[in-house]
Amino acid sequence: MQPLIITCAGVGAEVSRAQQPALPLTAEEIAQDAAECRAAGASIYHLHVRDDMGNPTMDAEVYRAALAAIRDATDVIVQFSSGGAVTDTEDVRIAPLDLEPEMASLTTGTVNFGSEVFWNPPSLIERFYARMRELGIVPEFEIFEPGMIANAQRVYDERAESHHMHFDFVLGVPGAMPAWEDSVAYLARHIPSEATWSATGIGRWHLAVTAAAIGLGGHVRTGFEDVIYFERGRLADGNAQLIDRVASMGRAAGRDIATPDRARNLLGL
Ligand code: KMH
Ligand code: ZN
């Protein structure tokens, strides 16, 4: 099996510091978090940013500051979110891509998201994907529902692209695909054979999805965007604690932990 690529989704757009006191918010806090997560075994940092009030923002200047601070602190792959928050418009969500991160997330379909709708119609997917490819950014296709795999394949084929395809299965969002026992295996079976994939389970589904992904040879995403508790009733001390647990689970299953450069190699960056 490949060395395990661990992604830290350390900030997100939905969780607040009132819910998770260790949530990093400023560029400096995020950079320190990224360095700690790298030391614990993370090779990718999935980046959302916050404004001065701690609210989610897609302001390119805030992204620029966070990207610079992370690059000063560590060598992790920085993956921008292009999903933002459900209230963000298409134009707002695409703007930070101009900063040319190595990777960016791309959700390939519209999906219910709690009591909201995460809006990703075909025209948005095509526009975001085209912009990423113009800038040489490798997308991570965010898969909340099986049909999104076919949508990712469609934009890839339509542009006759030849980059490496990498997917992330996000399971257990209320309104989207649940983390059923066979969800991870099902999705992994339906992506192209040469593609790589990671998985994450939201909240209480987190450990089951992590274990399934490690066992099936996939990669893992964790962090406060997806899970804020270390165990029932006990908040995680920090993102690095969650990364450390995934790395331990990976090692116990015989997987080496990928460095950022090894992950770059596996992901064709
Ligand atoms: N915050 C969600 C609405 C992504 O980063 O690309 C979207 C999300 C996916 O987190
Ligand atoms: Zn995200």
Side-chain angles (χ1 to χ4, degrees):
M1 286 187 195
Q2 290 181 339
L4 180 65
I5 298 171
I6 307 175
T7 297
C8 179
V11 183
E14 286 79 30
V15 64
S16 70
R17 199 170 259 179
Q19 295 166 309
Q20 175 37 277
L23 181 72
L25 297 176
T26 66
E28 292 68 33
E29 289 167 354
I30 293 171
Q32 186 182 339
D33 188 54
E36 288 168 6
C37 289
R38 158 70 165 108
S43 44
I44 302 177
Y45 201 91
H46 170 75
L47 184 63
H48 288 255
V49 293
R50 303 298 180 101
D51 65 17
D52 291 342
M53 304 295 291
N55 295 317
T57 179
M58 294 300 282
D59 185 326
E61 290 314 308
V62 183
Y63 261 103
R64 187 192 302 280
L67 180 61
I70 295 171
R71 288 208 171 131
D72 276 352
T74 181
D75 61 348
V76 286
I77 297 162
V78 179
Q79 179 193 93
F80 280 14
S81 168
S82 75
V86 289
T87 46
D88 288 323
T89 63
E90 189 173 319
D91 288 345
V92 161
R93 284 168 52 187
I94 201 172
L97 295 182
D98 290 351
L99 299 173
E100 300 183 25
E102 283 182 271
M103 294 185 83
S105 61
L106 178 59
T107 300
T108 46
T110 296
V111 64
N112 287 349
F113 197 86
S115 54
E116 314 276 354
V117 175
F118 182 26
W119 183 247
N120 299 291
S123 57
L124 178 151
I125 299 166
E126 285 156 22
R127 179 182 173 202
F128 282 23
Y129 183 66
R131 187 71 183 135
M132 287 179 198
R133 296 313 300 148
E134 274 162 26
L135 296 172
I137 300 167
V138 173
E140 174 178 276
F141 297 110
E142 304 299 326
I143 305 301
F144 292 70
E145 295 276 11
M148 293 187 188
I149 293 176
N151 296 342
Q153 186 73 58
R154 191 170 306 120
V155 283
Y156 181 90
D157 291 343
E158 274 168 7
R159 279 183 63 90
E161 284 285 354
S162 63
H163 64 83
H164 178 77
M165 291 183 92
H166 181 64
F167 295 82
D168 180 48
F169 310 144
V170 185
L171 299 171
V173 170
M177 187 171 182
W180 289 314
E181 217 176 80
D182 52 351
S183 292
V184 177
Y186 177 83
L187 294 172
R189 220 174 30 246
H190 289 281
I191 61 169
S193 55
E194 64 284 4
T196 49
W197 59 275
S198 61
T200 183
I202 302 303
R204 57 202 275 245
W205 308 111
H206 197 68
L207 279 180
V209 170
T210 299
I214 290 171
L216 289 167
H219 304 284
V220 172
R221 182 175 111 167
T222 188
F224 293 157
E225 179 165 345
D226 302 335
V227 61
I228 59 175
Y229 286 94
F230 189 71
E231 59 193 16
R232 194 196 300 248
R234 183 181 148 213
L235 288 166
D237 299 339
N239 282 306
Q241 187 186 30
L242 297 170
I243 300 291
D244 183 62
R245 175 166 60 185
V246 174
S248 299
M249 291 169 70
R251 284 190 205 97
R255 305 277 300 268
D256 291 334
I257 308 304
T259 61
D261 278 345
R262 188 74 177 98
R264 284 184 175 93
N265 180 259
L266 291 169
L267 300 171
L269 301 182

